[in-house]
Amino acid sequence: MATEHLGDRMGRLRRLADLTQEELSERSGMSVDVVRKLEQRRKHSARLPTLHSLAKGLGVELTTLLGDPPGVPSSGDADPPQLVAVRRAIMPPLFAPPAEPTGVEQLSLPLLRAELTDGWTLYHSADFGRLMGVLPDIIADARLLAAVGNEEQRAAGQAALGKALQLGGHLAMRLGKTDLALAALERAHAAAEDSSDPLLAPMVSNSVAWAYQRQARLDDARNLAVHAADRVEQEHKGTAAGIRVWGGLLMSAATSYARSDDYGTANEMMTTAEAAAGRLATLPPPADGKLVSVFSRSSVRIERVRLAVQHERPEEGLQLARGMRLSRDIPPSWRTWLLLDVARACTDVGDAAGAVKTLERLRRVAPTWMRHHTLAVAIVSDLWAMSARPPGLRRLAEFLGVAD
Protein backbone atom coordinates (compact mmCIF):
# COMPACT_ATOMS: atom_id res chain seq x y z
CA MET A 1 0.00 0.00 0.00
CA ALA A 2 1.71 3.20 -1.14
CA THR A 3 1.37 6.28 0.99
CA GLU A 4 -0.24 9.42 -0.37
CA HIS A 5 2.09 11.34 -2.68
CA LEU A 6 3.61 14.47 -1.14
CA GLY A 7 2.24 16.63 -3.96
CA ASP A 8 -1.29 15.27 -3.57
CA ARG A 9 -1.19 15.95 0.17
CA MET A 10 0.18 19.45 -0.34
CA GLY A 11 -2.50 20.27 -2.90
CA ARG A 12 -5.24 19.02 -0.59
CA LEU A 13 -3.90 21.07 2.33
CA ARG A 14 -3.56 24.13 0.09
CA ARG A 15 -7.18 23.87 -1.02
CA LEU A 16 -8.33 23.40 2.58
CA ALA A 17 -6.48 26.61 3.44
CA ASP A 18 -8.22 28.31 0.48
CA LEU A 19 -4.91 29.28 -1.12
CA THR A 20 -3.88 29.45 -4.75
CA GLN A 21 -0.49 28.07 -5.77
CA GLU A 22 0.72 31.64 -6.12
CA GLU A 23 -0.50 32.56 -2.64
CA LEU A 24 1.21 29.51 -1.11
CA SER A 25 4.38 30.47 -2.93
CA GLU A 26 4.25 33.97 -1.45
CA ARG A 27 3.42 32.82 2.08
CA SER A 28 6.12 30.14 2.14
CA GLY A 29 8.85 32.08 0.34
CA MET A 30 9.16 29.25 -2.21
CA SER A 31 8.98 29.68 -5.96
CA VAL A 32 5.65 28.88 -7.57
CA ASP A 33 7.57 26.48 -9.84
CA VAL A 34 8.46 24.29 -6.83
CA VAL A 35 4.82 24.26 -5.71
CA ARG A 36 3.59 23.33 -9.20
CA LYS A 37 6.17 20.58 -9.75
CA LEU A 38 5.32 18.96 -6.43
CA GLU A 39 1.58 19.09 -7.00
CA GLN A 40 1.94 17.80 -10.56
CA ARG A 41 4.12 14.90 -9.35
CA ARG A 42 7.01 16.11 -11.47
CA LYS A 43 8.99 16.40 -8.24
CA HIS A 44 8.67 13.64 -5.62
CA SER A 45 10.57 15.14 -2.69
CA ALA A 46 12.16 18.35 -1.48
CA ARG A 47 14.84 19.56 0.91
CA LEU A 48 13.80 19.67 4.53
CA PRO A 49 14.09 23.51 4.85
CA THR A 50 11.79 23.74 1.80
CA LEU A 51 9.28 21.42 3.46
CA HIS A 52 9.41 23.46 6.68
CA SER A 53 8.71 26.64 4.68
CA LEU A 54 5.81 25.03 2.83
CA ALA A 55 4.33 23.72 6.08
CA LYS A 56 4.58 27.21 7.57
CA GLY A 57 2.90 28.69 4.50
CA LEU A 58 0.09 26.14 4.78
CA GLY A 59 -0.29 26.80 8.50
CA VAL A 60 0.22 23.14 9.45
CA GLU A 61 2.76 21.05 11.34
CA LEU A 62 5.53 19.50 9.29
CA THR A 63 4.22 16.03 10.17
CA THR A 64 0.88 16.94 8.57
CA LEU A 65 2.63 17.78 5.31
CA LEU A 66 4.93 14.75 5.34
CA GLY A 67 2.26 12.28 6.41
CA ASP A 68 2.20 9.85 9.28
CA PRO A 69 5.39 8.36 10.72
CA PRO A 70 6.61 4.93 9.64
CA GLY A 71 4.30 2.02 10.35
CA VAL A 72 1.36 4.04 11.66
CA PRO A 73 -0.80 5.16 8.73
CA SER A 74 -3.80 7.20 9.84
CA SER A 75 -7.28 6.11 8.78
CA GLY A 76 -9.04 9.16 10.16
CA ASP A 77 -11.02 6.93 12.54
CA ALA A 78 -11.23 7.35 16.32
CA ASP A 79 -8.20 6.35 18.34
CA PRO A 80 -7.93 2.56 18.77
CA PRO A 81 -8.42 1.16 22.31
CA GLN A 82 -4.66 0.67 22.80
CA LEU A 83 -3.97 4.35 22.14
CA VAL A 84 -6.85 5.38 24.40
CA ALA A 85 -5.21 3.33 27.17
CA VAL A 86 -1.91 5.13 26.57
CA ARG A 87 -3.68 8.50 26.74
CA ARG A 88 -5.34 7.51 30.01
CA ALA A 89 -2.03 6.38 31.49
CA ILE A 90 -0.31 9.64 30.54
CA MET A 91 -3.25 11.83 31.59
CA PRO A 92 -5.31 10.08 34.31
CA PRO A 93 -8.98 11.09 34.65
CA LEU A 94 -9.44 14.56 36.12
CA PHE A 95 -11.08 14.99 39.52
CA ALA A 96 -11.26 11.22 40.10
CA PRO A 97 -10.62 10.07 43.69
CA PRO A 98 -7.11 8.61 44.11
CA ALA A 99 -7.00 4.85 43.78
CA GLU A 100 -5.79 2.76 46.67
CA PRO A 101 -2.25 1.50 45.98
CA THR A 102 -2.26 -2.23 45.19
CA GLY A 103 0.48 -4.61 44.21
CA VAL A 104 3.26 -2.67 45.91
CA GLU A 105 4.64 -5.87 47.37
CA GLN A 106 5.31 -7.30 43.92
CA LEU A 107 6.93 -4.12 42.61
CA SER A 108 10.61 -3.27 42.85
CA LEU A 109 12.74 -0.58 41.26
CA PRO A 110 15.05 -3.08 39.46
CA LEU A 111 12.01 -4.84 37.99
CA LEU A 112 10.53 -1.55 36.82
CA ARG A 113 13.81 -0.43 35.26
CA ALA A 114 13.97 -3.75 33.41
CA GLU A 115 10.44 -3.08 32.10
CA LEU A 116 11.54 0.37 31.00
CA THR A 117 14.57 -1.03 29.20
CA ASP A 118 12.35 -3.51 27.36
CA GLY A 119 9.94 -0.69 26.48
CA TRP A 120 12.67 1.47 24.98
CA THR A 121 13.95 -1.55 23.05
CA LEU A 122 10.48 -1.99 21.53
CA TYR A 123 10.42 1.71 20.65
CA HIS A 124 13.81 1.68 18.92
CA SER A 125 12.75 -1.45 17.03
CA ALA A 126 9.67 0.46 15.78
CA ASP A 127 7.42 -2.17 17.39
CA PHE A 128 4.86 0.47 18.31
CA GLY A 129 1.90 -1.92 18.51
CA ARG A 130 3.48 -4.03 21.25
CA LEU A 131 4.74 -0.93 23.02
CA MET A 132 1.22 0.52 23.16
CA GLY A 133 0.12 -2.70 24.80
CA VAL A 134 2.67 -2.66 27.64
CA LEU A 135 3.25 1.06 28.21
CA PRO A 136 0.12 1.83 30.31
CA ASP A 137 1.17 -0.77 32.91
CA ILE A 138 4.73 0.54 32.96
CA ILE A 139 3.50 4.09 33.61
CA ALA A 140 1.08 2.87 36.27
CA ASP A 141 3.83 0.91 38.04
CA ALA A 142 6.16 3.91 37.92
CA ARG A 143 3.47 6.25 39.25
CA LEU A 144 2.92 3.86 42.15
CA LEU A 145 6.62 3.61 43.07
CA ALA A 146 6.90 7.41 42.91
CA ALA A 147 4.23 7.70 45.61
CA VAL A 148 5.36 5.15 48.23
CA GLY A 149 8.31 4.61 50.53
CA ASN A 150 10.77 7.04 52.06
CA GLU A 151 12.08 10.18 50.40
CA GLU A 152 14.95 8.40 48.66
CA GLN A 153 12.67 5.66 47.35
CA ARG A 154 10.12 8.17 46.07
CA ALA A 155 12.86 10.11 44.26
CA ALA A 156 14.00 6.92 42.53
CA GLY A 157 10.37 6.20 41.64
CA GLN A 158 10.04 9.71 40.18
CA ALA A 159 13.07 9.01 37.98
CA ALA A 160 11.40 5.87 36.66
CA LEU A 161 8.13 7.75 36.17
CA GLY A 162 9.89 10.50 34.25
CA LYS A 163 11.55 7.95 31.96
CA ALA A 164 8.24 6.13 31.43
CA LEU A 165 6.44 9.35 30.52
CA GLN A 166 9.31 10.34 28.24
CA LEU A 167 8.83 7.02 26.46
CA GLY A 168 5.13 7.84 26.19
CA GLY A 169 6.04 11.18 24.62
CA HIS A 170 8.31 9.55 22.04
CA LEU A 171 5.65 6.97 21.17
CA ALA A 172 3.03 9.70 20.77
CA MET A 173 5.29 11.60 18.37
CA ARG A 174 5.77 8.47 16.27
CA LEU A 175 2.01 8.06 16.19
CA GLY A 176 1.63 11.63 14.94
CA LYS A 177 0.06 12.84 18.22
CA THR A 178 2.33 15.81 18.93
CA ASP A 179 0.06 17.48 21.49
CA LEU A 180 -0.20 14.25 23.48
CA ALA A 181 3.59 13.97 23.25
CA LEU A 182 4.08 17.42 24.74
CA ALA A 183 1.58 16.64 27.52
CA ALA A 184 3.56 13.50 28.36
CA LEU A 185 6.88 15.32 28.24
CA GLU A 186 5.63 18.15 30.46
CA ARG A 187 4.70 15.53 33.08
CA ALA A 188 8.01 13.75 32.51
CA HIS A 189 9.92 16.96 33.21
CA ALA A 190 7.97 17.56 36.41
CA ALA A 191 8.82 14.04 37.59
CA ALA A 192 12.46 14.58 36.60
CA GLU A 193 12.66 17.70 38.79
CA ASP A 194 11.58 15.58 41.79
CA SER A 195 13.77 12.62 40.89
CA SER A 196 17.15 11.29 41.94
CA ASP A 197 18.54 11.54 38.38
CA PRO A 198 20.15 14.94 37.65
CA LEU A 199 20.43 14.12 33.93
CA LEU A 200 16.80 13.20 33.39
CA ALA A 201 15.50 16.77 33.04
CA PRO A 202 17.95 17.64 30.22
CA MET A 203 17.13 14.32 28.50
CA VAL A 204 13.45 15.22 28.59
CA SER A 205 14.34 18.71 27.32
CA ASN A 206 15.94 17.03 24.31
CA SER A 207 12.70 15.15 23.65
CA VAL A 208 10.73 18.40 23.88
CA ALA A 209 13.13 20.00 21.39
CA TRP A 210 12.39 17.14 19.00
CA ALA A 211 8.65 17.74 19.40
CA TYR A 212 9.18 21.44 18.67
CA GLN A 213 11.10 20.51 15.52
CA ARG A 214 8.16 18.39 14.40
CA GLN A 215 5.95 21.47 14.85
CA ALA A 216 8.37 23.67 12.85
CA ARG A 217 9.15 25.65 16.05
CA LEU A 218 12.84 25.61 15.17
CA ASP A 219 13.89 28.62 17.27
CA ASP A 220 12.21 27.15 20.36
CA ALA A 221 13.83 23.78 19.72
CA ARG A 222 17.30 25.24 19.22
CA ASN A 223 17.17 27.54 22.25
CA LEU A 224 15.92 24.76 24.52
CA ALA A 225 18.60 22.31 23.39
CA VAL A 226 21.43 24.86 23.68
CA HIS A 227 20.34 25.97 27.15
CA ALA A 228 20.09 22.40 28.43
CA ALA A 229 23.43 21.45 26.83
CA ASP A 230 25.16 24.37 28.54
CA ARG A 231 23.87 23.22 31.93
CA VAL A 232 25.01 19.64 31.38
CA GLU A 233 28.42 20.78 30.15
CA GLN A 234 28.95 22.83 33.30
CA GLU A 235 27.85 20.13 35.75
CA HIS A 236 28.13 16.63 34.28
CA LYS A 237 30.50 16.46 31.31
CA GLY A 238 33.09 14.45 33.23
CA THR A 239 31.03 11.24 33.07
CA ALA A 240 30.02 8.98 30.19
CA ALA A 241 26.34 9.59 30.93
CA GLY A 242 26.93 13.35 30.99
CA ILE A 243 28.76 13.29 27.65
CA ARG A 244 25.99 11.22 26.07
CA VAL A 245 23.27 13.58 27.26
CA TRP A 246 25.28 16.69 26.31
CA GLY A 247 26.10 15.20 22.90
CA GLY A 248 22.48 14.34 22.22
CA LEU A 249 21.45 17.91 22.99
CA LEU A 250 24.21 19.29 20.76
CA MET A 251 23.02 17.09 17.90
CA SER A 252 19.47 18.31 18.45
CA ALA A 253 20.57 21.94 18.33
CA ALA A 254 22.55 21.25 15.17
CA THR A 255 19.50 19.71 13.52
CA SER A 256 17.48 22.86 14.27
CA TYR A 257 20.21 25.02 12.74
CA ALA A 258 20.28 22.80 9.65
CA ARG A 259 16.52 22.90 9.24
CA SER A 260 16.74 26.69 9.45
CA ASP A 261 19.08 26.41 6.44
CA ASP A 262 22.24 27.20 8.43
CA TYR A 263 24.15 24.10 7.41
CA GLY A 264 27.54 25.62 8.23
CA THR A 265 26.76 26.09 11.94
CA ALA A 266 25.07 22.68 12.07
CA ASN A 267 28.06 20.92 10.52
CA GLU A 268 30.45 22.65 12.91
CA MET A 269 28.40 21.55 15.91
CA MET A 270 28.16 17.97 14.61
CA THR A 271 31.93 17.84 14.10
CA THR A 272 32.39 18.98 17.70
CA ALA A 273 29.94 16.34 18.88
CA GLU A 274 31.72 13.59 16.96
CA ALA A 275 35.06 14.54 18.50
CA ALA A 276 33.50 14.51 21.98
CA ALA A 277 32.03 11.07 21.35
CA GLY A 278 35.58 9.75 21.09
CA ARG A 279 36.02 10.42 24.81
CA LEU A 280 33.41 7.79 25.68
CA ALA A 281 35.92 5.00 25.05
CA THR A 282 38.10 6.32 27.88
CA LEU A 283 35.33 6.42 30.51
CA PRO A 284 33.37 3.73 32.37
CA PRO A 285 30.03 3.17 30.60
CA PRO A 286 26.89 4.40 32.36
CA ALA A 287 24.70 2.02 34.28
CA ASP A 288 21.45 1.22 32.45
CA GLY A 289 22.91 2.60 29.23
CA LYS A 290 19.69 1.94 27.29
CA LEU A 291 17.95 4.55 29.44
CA VAL A 292 20.48 7.27 28.55
CA SER A 293 20.53 9.37 25.36
CA VAL A 294 21.60 7.60 22.16
CA PHE A 295 25.00 9.18 21.52
CA SER A 296 28.17 7.68 20.09
CA ARG A 297 30.51 8.18 17.17
CA SER A 298 28.15 6.03 15.11
CA SER A 299 25.02 8.02 15.97
CA VAL A 300 26.76 11.33 15.23
CA ARG A 301 28.02 10.06 11.89
CA ILE A 302 24.53 8.77 10.98
CA GLU A 303 23.08 12.21 11.76
CA ARG A 304 25.81 13.95 9.76
CA VAL A 305 24.95 11.76 6.76
CA ARG A 306 21.29 12.66 7.17
CA LEU A 307 21.89 16.40 7.33
CA ALA A 308 24.23 16.33 4.32
CA VAL A 309 21.72 14.41 2.19
CA GLN A 310 18.80 16.58 3.26
CA HIS A 311 20.71 19.70 2.28
CA GLU A 312 21.59 18.55 -1.23
CA ARG A 313 25.14 17.44 -0.48
CA PRO A 314 24.82 13.80 -1.58
CA GLU A 315 28.52 13.34 -2.37
CA GLU A 316 29.39 14.53 1.14
CA GLY A 317 26.78 12.21 2.63
CA LEU A 318 28.14 9.20 0.75
CA GLN A 319 31.69 10.07 1.77
CA LEU A 320 30.64 10.25 5.44
CA ALA A 321 28.84 6.90 5.16
CA ARG A 322 31.67 5.11 3.34
CA GLY A 323 33.32 2.46 5.48
CA MET A 324 31.20 3.29 8.52
CA ARG A 325 31.23 0.61 11.22
CA LEU A 326 28.20 0.91 13.45
CA SER A 327 28.55 0.16 17.15
CA ARG A 328 26.45 -2.68 18.55
CA ASP A 329 24.36 -0.33 20.70
CA ILE A 330 22.97 1.63 17.73
CA PRO A 331 19.17 1.04 17.70
CA PRO A 332 17.59 -0.59 14.62
CA SER A 333 15.67 2.62 13.82
CA TRP A 334 18.95 4.52 13.37
CA ARG A 335 20.33 1.80 11.08
CA THR A 336 17.25 1.95 8.87
CA TRP A 337 17.45 5.74 8.63
CA LEU A 338 21.07 5.46 7.49
CA LEU A 339 20.14 3.06 4.71
CA LEU A 340 17.33 5.36 3.57
CA ASP A 341 19.65 8.38 3.49
CA VAL A 342 22.32 6.48 1.56
CA ALA A 343 19.68 5.39 -0.96
CA ARG A 344 18.56 9.01 -1.35
CA ALA A 345 22.17 10.13 -1.88
CA CYS A 346 22.80 7.42 -4.48
CA THR A 347 19.68 8.53 -6.35
CA ASP A 348 20.76 12.17 -6.24
CA VAL A 349 24.20 11.42 -7.76
CA GLY A 350 22.71 9.21 -10.48
CA ASP A 351 23.81 5.87 -9.01
CA ALA A 352 20.48 4.09 -9.52
CA ALA A 353 22.01 0.63 -9.09
CA GLY A 354 23.55 1.65 -5.76
CA ALA A 355 20.23 3.08 -4.62
CA VAL A 356 18.37 -0.13 -5.48
CA LYS A 357 20.99 -2.26 -3.73
CA THR A 358 20.65 -0.14 -0.58
CA LEU A 359 16.84 -0.19 -0.73
CA GLU A 360 16.83 -3.97 -1.14
CA ARG A 361 18.87 -4.21 2.05
CA LEU A 362 16.46 -1.83 3.77
CA ARG A 363 13.53 -3.98 2.71
CA ARG A 364 15.20 -7.05 4.22
CA VAL A 365 15.83 -5.45 7.60
CA ALA A 366 12.73 -3.23 7.99
CA PRO A 367 9.95 -4.09 5.51
CA THR A 368 7.03 -2.61 7.49
CA TRP A 369 8.96 0.56 8.29
CA MET A 370 9.90 0.97 4.63
CA ARG A 371 6.41 0.34 3.29
CA HIS A 372 4.90 3.25 5.19
CA HIS A 373 7.73 5.73 4.95
CA THR A 374 7.02 8.70 2.70
CA LEU A 375 10.67 9.20 1.73
CA ALA A 376 11.16 5.54 0.76
CA VAL A 377 8.16 5.77 -1.56
CA ALA A 378 9.47 9.05 -3.00
CA ILE A 379 12.91 7.58 -3.74
CA VAL A 380 11.47 4.54 -5.50
CA SER A 381 9.08 6.81 -7.43
CA ASP A 382 12.04 8.93 -8.58
CA LEU A 383 13.92 5.81 -9.70
CA TRP A 384 10.82 4.39 -11.42
CA ALA A 385 10.46 7.59 -13.44
CA MET A 386 13.91 7.07 -15.00
CA SER A 387 14.14 5.82 -18.56
CA ALA A 388 16.69 3.13 -17.63
CA ARG A 389 15.50 1.08 -14.65
CA PRO A 390 18.16 -0.97 -12.85
CA PRO A 391 17.62 -4.66 -12.00
CA GLY A 392 15.62 -5.20 -8.83
CA LEU A 393 13.70 -1.93 -9.06
CA ARG A 394 10.43 -3.54 -10.19
CA ARG A 395 10.28 -5.72 -7.07
CA LEU A 396 10.70 -2.64 -4.88
CA ALA A 397 8.16 -0.63 -6.89
CA GLU A 398 5.59 -3.42 -6.65
CA PHE A 399 6.28 -3.83 -2.93
CA LEU A 400 5.58 -0.11 -2.34
CA GLY A 401 2.71 0.05 -4.82
CA VAL A 402 4.25 2.57 -7.21
CA ALA A 403 4.72 0.30 -10.24
CA ASP A 404 2.72 1.04 -13.39
Side-chain angles (χ1 to χ4, degrees), residues 165-182:
L165 289 168
Q166 184 193 24
L167 177 56
H170 278 239
L171 174 62
M173 278 189 278
R174 288 300 185 193
L175 298 176
K177 310 295 183 181
T178 313
D179 289 338
L180 175 62
L182 286 171

Side-chain angles (χ1 to χ4, degrees), residues 220-264:
D220 292 335
R222 181 183 65 245
N223 293 338
L224 178 59
V226 168
H227 176 70
D230 287 344
R231 287 184 57 190
V232 174
E233 185 174 27
Q234 292 168 11
E235 301 171 9
H236 303 288
K237 211 178 164 192
T239 66
I243 291 176
R244 285 175 61 170
V245 173
W246 172 83
L249 287 161
L250 195 63
M251 289 170 62
S252 178
T255 299
S256 291
Y257 273 109
R259 292 181 179 179
S260 299
D261 226 5
D262 186 352
Y263 183 79

